[in-house]
Amino acid sequence: MFKIDKKKSFIPINICILTVSDTRSLDNDKSGDILEKRILDTGHKLIERKIIKDEKDVISKQLLSWSKNENIDAVITTGGTGLTGRDVTVEAHKEVYEKEIDAFSILFTYVSIKKIGTSAIQSRACAGVRNGTYFFALPGSPSACKDAWDEILLFQLDNRHLPCNFVEIIPRLNEI
């Protein structure tokens, strides 16, 4: 079973939040607010938070830009993971990934099934890596963002989490 190694010191990482929405602003971005609070409450650093429209090229361009910034370790997007025609976040993410983290989608679905049953089938949450930067695409629902952070990212973005975590391999993501 997993656990936190309390003998190790916590290592904060640098995270960006990108809300993808045609209607949200910083005044009403509940999902972005939830992620920001959780990031800061756990001791990580919030480097930047943006809101952009549901446009695949705009999303991809922002993700690529952040992947080239050596001071950014992870990017969490919220919104645009559904099935409607305007939901293009997943396509933008997958266009950017060098490697996809397939099990993230599976684990997120498992967590969601416990909360919303078969409605979990409508989420296309995904994750991947580019230029040594992690990318996580979460649904726009505040509840989904809470679930993803509280049950997955909280642990995987903590270097003390055993038996393994994403933080401990950051220095090796760009190995050839």
Side-chain angles (χ1 to χ4, degrees), residues 2-8 154-155 158-162:
F2 65 89
K3 66 178 185 173
I4 298 293
D5 182 351
K6 299 197 186 248
K7 292 181 228 155
K8 285 183 167 182
L154 173 68
F155 302 106
D158 188 332
N159 65 293
R160 304 167 301 167
H161 180 266
L162 299 173

Side-chain angles (χ1 to χ4, degrees), residues 72-107:
I72 296 171
D73 301 307
V75 174
I76 303 172
T77 67
T78 176
T81 64
L83 300 172
T84 72
R86 294 291 296 152
D87 292 324
V88 295
T89 300
V90 173
E91 287 73 20
H93 268 253
K94 291 187 176 190
E95 195 172 273
V96 169
Y97 297 163
E98 293 168 330
K99 293 185 178 184
E100 190 165 355
I101 305 169
D102 299 317
F104 180 84
S105 300
I106 296 165
L107 186 54

Side-chain angles (χ1 to χ4, degrees), residues 31 39 99 116 173:
S31 294
I39 287 165
K99 293 185 178 184
I116 61 172
L173 289 175

Side-chain angles (χ1 to χ4, degrees), residues 18-121:
L18 181 65
T19 299
V20 178
S21 174
D22 291 333
T23 59
R24 298 280 182 261
S25 69
L26 286 176
D27 294 330
N28 64 7
D29 179 20
K30 291 179 184 174
S31 294
D33 291 343
I34 285 166
L35 291 168
E36 179 174 343
K37 180 171 179 11
R38 279 166 164 71
I39 287 165
L40 296 175
D41 285 353
T42 55
H44 294 298
K45 297 174 187 163
L46 181 62
I47 301 303
E48 192 170 357
R49 179 176 169 188
K50 283 187 171 187
I51 298 177
I52 61 174
K53 302 283 185 206
D54 285 304
E55 298 291 340
K56 188 174 120 184
D57 293 342
V58 175
I59 299 165
S60 295
K61 184 177 178 184
Q62 183 60 63
L63 297 177
L64 279 171
S65 172
W66 278 339
S67 80
K68 293 174 185 173
N69 183 334
E70 292 180 10
N71 293 321
I72 296 171
D73 301 307
V75 174
I76 303 172
T77 67
T78 176
T81 64
L83 300 172
T84 72
R86 294 291 296 152
D87 292 324
V88 295
T89 300
V90 173
E91 287 73 20
H93 268 253
K94 291 187 176 190
E95 195 172 273
V96 169
Y97 297 163
E98 293 168 330
K99 293 185 178 184
E100 190 165 355
I101 305 169
D102 299 317
F104 180 84
S105 300
I106 296 165
L107 186 54
F108 181 80
T109 301
Y110 172 76
V111 167
S112 296
I113 287 171
K114 293 188 296 182
K115 307 281 173 118
I116 61 172
T118 61
S119 295
I121 200 167

